[in-house]
Amino acid sequence: MDYVVEMLNIRKEFPGVVANDNITLQLKKGEIHALLGENGAGKSTLMNVLFGLYQPDKGEIRVNGEPVNITDPNVANDLGIGMVHQHFMLVEPFTVTQNIILGSEPTKFGKINLKKAEKEVQELSDRYGLRVDATAKISDISVGMQQRVEILKTLYRGAEVLIFDEPTAVLTPQEITELMEIMHALTAEGKSIILITHKLKEIMEISERCTVIRKGKGIDTLNVAETSVTELASLMVGRDVSFKIEKKPAEPKGTVLSIQNLSVKDKRKVDMVKGMDLEVRAGEIVGVAGVDGNGQSELVEAITGLQKSESGTVRLNNKDITNLSPRKVTESGIGHIPQDRHKYGLVLDFTVGENMVLQTYYQKPYSKYKTLNYKEIYQKAEELVDEYDIRTPSVYTKARALSGGNQQKAIIGREIDRSPDLLIAAQPTRGLDVGAIEFIHNRLIEERDKGRAILLISFELDEIMDLSDKIAVMFDGKNIAEVKPEETDENELGLLMAGSTKEKAGGQK
């Protein structure tokens, strides 16, 4: 069998951690090969070795049958290997074309020939159905479009092998479907793709083969057509995983969060929340369903004090908290799992321990006479690391060194541990594997059963349907319908999310 890429018995160690322990992965020409594993299993490390960001301690890499030494990403590019990173590497004030040619600019008489580059980029975009405007500024385009720019960047440099690192983690369902079409277009042209993911449904839908790694070790390579979601999940996690959420009917009590006629503008001064009404009671989970960009982010930012509202009121336990500062909102009894964990959830250059007390560091027992008590801080961190199974070398490790899923578990542990009256969970399982998702879902149900009010914002319709006791559909900045999950389905929800009225959507079930 001829392989375009072979990674044979790769070992990569970091101080105190064996990230890759004797892993073999072989990629056929024209295939989409999934690399599956839990958060922190070593998937990204293995691909960073292939892309030249890390050097292997042992093992061999072959490209088209020839042994190679990939010392840096430039060598990888020369060998036809490109990587679309989970966190995009783009310069926001630059245009699409300026980002794509950065580092390999075409010149004419010593000047950058931008017009020629724009023409080439537009041709590439059209050829693969990427539909990217070569002249648009990065800061003006959606997250999904930014990802397409990253794909174009690799194609512009002549990539024959493309590595996608968790490409669907930040995409809406519609963008995920479009990305899968793009991947099929790439392989139809003879490109080969390695897809790093832990979304099992996507693997079943798009991949031919799947290599599973667990805790740094290669477990198995399977033909996707001959396996199942259940088998992949148990190979990945090392135990049986339940996909069904067990929960008793909610027993809601008094109103905890009351939002009336709320209007919020975004950073560009565009109206995003337009006279929104919403209520969340103690002991219930209210899910907000909607296509990204319909005001969900601005709604959460207004409740949590990250953004001022223009008009309307936000009341918590009948107390007006409209436009209070984030600290005052937190002290009022709100916990916030933000959708952007890097921007609002963590200070990446602080340790895991310091991140665990970001809202409480100035209170006893973590502080006395304005001096931090590090013994108490790190003792608390140890407890949360154990309770939430946060995979970290130690509580003294910087947060940026953790995998995305473990960063998320750290935030969730910190927020739930404070026992807030209202817990806002915005995309709580974004970027998490099935084992971690199962754990987080169970914790949210537990908190509901303890009488907490939970506001869940998610683009995952399965998550909204499975967890919510009531679903509010947000379209164009308004709560246009409220439905019970047992009385609706994904088809009706999808129509409501697109702006259909309840009557029309109900008639088209």
Side-chain angles (χ1 to χ4, degrees), residues 445-504:
I445 297 292
E446 276 176 35
E447 291 305 299
R448 179 202 78 162
D449 292 345
K450 287 178 189 168
R452 310 258 180 273
I454 296 173
L455 180 64
L456 170 70
I457 290 91
S458 176
F459 301 137
E460 303 282 348
L461 278 189
D462 288 353
E463 186 165 67
I464 288 282
M465 294 283 282
D466 290 345
L467 280 181
S468 306
D469 301 304
K470 183 173 77 180
I471 300 170
V473 181
M474 201 164 173
F475 176 76
D476 193 27
K478 297 186 186 77
N479 179 3
I480 64 161
E482 290 192 358
V483 293
K484 291 192 171 170
E486 63 271 19
E487 295 170 3
T488 187
D489 58 25
E490 288 198 9
N491 183 41
E492 183 187 36
L493 264 186
L495 288 166
L496 288 168
M497 285 160 59
S500 268
T501 62
K502 180 86 172 72
E503 291 72 27
K504 277 189 196 166

Side-chain angles (χ1 to χ4, degrees), residues 135-346:
T135 61
K137 264 193 183 174
I138 295 296
S139 54
D140 294 338
I141 62 177
S142 71
V143 170
M145 279 295 167
Q146 288 179 25
Q147 186 180 65
R148 293 176 190 206
V149 176
E150 287 282 13
I151 296 168
L152 272 173
K153 220 160 59 169
T154 66
L155 295 173
Y156 184 81
R157 285 162 174 71
E160 290 298 318
V161 172
L162 286 86
I163 304 162
F164 284 84
D165 188 358
E166 300 286 0
T168 62
V170 292
L171 302 185
T172 63
Q174 292 88 338
E175 287 171 331
I176 291 169
T177 303
E178 288 168 5
L179 176 65
M180 287 184 175
E181 288 167 5
I182 290 163
M183 286 183 174
H184 282 309
L186 290 166
T187 52
E189 289 259 347
K191 310 286 186 197
S192 308
I193 293 173
I194 299 174
L195 170 65
I196 305 176
T197 186
H198 44 241
K199 291 192 174 179
L200 300 171
K201 278 200 324 199
E202 286 169 17
I203 289 175
M204 299 301 291
E205 210 169 312
I206 198 170
S207 312
E208 281 100 276
R209 293 190 305 146
C210 175
T211 294
V212 183
I213 61 177
R214 185 167 75 236
K215 294 184 179 173
K217 294 183 191 297
I219 302 299
D220 203 355
T221 296
L222 307 98
N223 291 320
V224 169
E226 296 165 10
T227 185
S228 66
V229 165
T230 310
E231 183 185 12
L232 287 177
S234 58
L235 283 171
M236 172 169 81
V237 182
R239 61 177 172 81
D240 290 339
V241 177
S242 169
F243 291 95
K244 181 145 178 59
I245 296 172
E246 299 294 337
K247 61 172 188 175
K248 61 183 187 187
E251 297 173 6
K253 306 275 190 315
T255 300
V256 173
L257 175 70
S258 173
I259 294 171
Q260 291 180 319
N261 202 27
L262 190 71
S263 296
V264 189
K265 292 184 189 293
D266 67 5
K267 310 262 186 307
R268 300 164 299 163
K269 301 297 177 197
V270 175
D271 290 321
M272 292 303 289
V273 180
K274 304 170 183 176
M276 175 90 175
D277 293 324
L278 187 68
E279 197 172 90
V280 187
R281 294 172 296 174
E284 77 173 347
I285 297 176
V286 174
V288 175
V291 176
D292 192 12
N294 276 276
Q296 300 95 317
S297 299
E298 290 76 16
L299 171 68
V300 170
E301 287 175 8
I303 298 169
T304 54
L306 292 168
Q307 180 90 317
K308 296 285 186 208
S309 58
E310 298 294 308
S311 60
T313 57
V314 179
R315 302 184 80 81
L316 186 76
N317 294 322
N318 216 20
K319 177 189 165 196
D320 191 344
I321 61 164
T322 317
N323 291 338
L324 290 184
S325 69
R327 178 178 281 191
K328 292 285 185 203
V329 168
T330 301
E331 289 173 344
S332 299
I334 289 183
H336 179 207
I337 300 163
Q339 70 175 25
D340 188 334
R341 55 179 165 255
H342 288 174
K343 193 171 182 181
Y344 295 120
L346 299 164

Side-chain angles (χ1 to χ4, degrees), residues 319-487:
K319 177 189 165 196
D320 191 344
I321 61 164
T322 317
N323 291 338
L324 290 184
S325 69
R327 178 178 281 191
K328 292 285 185 203
V329 168
T330 301
E331 289 173 344
S332 299
I334 289 183
H336 179 207
I337 300 163
Q339 70 175 25
D340 188 334
R341 55 179 165 255
H342 288 174
K343 193 171 182 181
Y344 295 120
L346 299 164
V347 181
L348 293 175
D349 286 319
F350 280 13
T351 65
V352 172
E354 288 166 332
N355 273 284
M356 290 305 196
V357 294
L358 283 181
Q359 284 114 318
T360 49
Y361 68 88
Y362 58 92
Q363 298 168 351
K364 288 180 181 177
Y366 311 119
S367 176
K368 195 174 180 184
Y369 308 124
K370 295 192 177 176
T371 303
L372 291 175
N373 183 341
Y374 278 102
K375 185 182 172 195
E376 289 285 351
I377 288 171
Y378 284 109
Q379 191 175 314
K380 182 64 179 178
E382 292 278 10
E383 288 170 16
L384 291 175
V385 162
D386 287 345
E387 187 179 347
Y388 286 85
D389 188 28
I390 300 162
R391 311 265 172 93
T392 175
S394 86
V395 290
Y396 303 99
T397 302
K398 284 190 175 177
R400 73 167 62 252
L402 272 60
S403 70
N406 283 300
Q407 290 175 347
Q408 187 76 346
K409 285 201 265 185
I411 294 167
I412 287 167
R414 178 186 72 208
E415 297 304 311
I416 289 179
D417 184 70
R418 288 177 31 245
S419 299
D421 295 327
L422 171 72
L423 180 63
I424 299 173
Q427 314 296 344
T429 59
R430 175 181 277 177
L432 297 190
D433 59 66
V434 285
I437 289 171
E438 179 190 43
F439 178 82
I440 300 307
H441 284 174
N442 287 336
R443 290 311 296 245
L444 290 174
I445 297 292
E446 276 176 35
E447 291 305 299
R448 179 202 78 162
D449 292 345
K450 287 178 189 168
R452 310 258 180 273
I454 296 173
L455 180 64
L456 170 70
I457 290 91
S458 176
F459 301 137
E460 303 282 348
L461 278 189
D462 288 353
E463 186 165 67
I464 288 282
M465 294 283 282
D466 290 345
L467 280 181
S468 306
D469 301 304
K470 183 173 77 180
I471 300 170
V473 181
M474 201 164 173
F475 176 76
D476 193 27
K478 297 186 186 77
N479 179 3
I480 64 161
E482 290 192 358
V483 293
K484 291 192 171 170
E486 63 271 19
E487 295 170 3

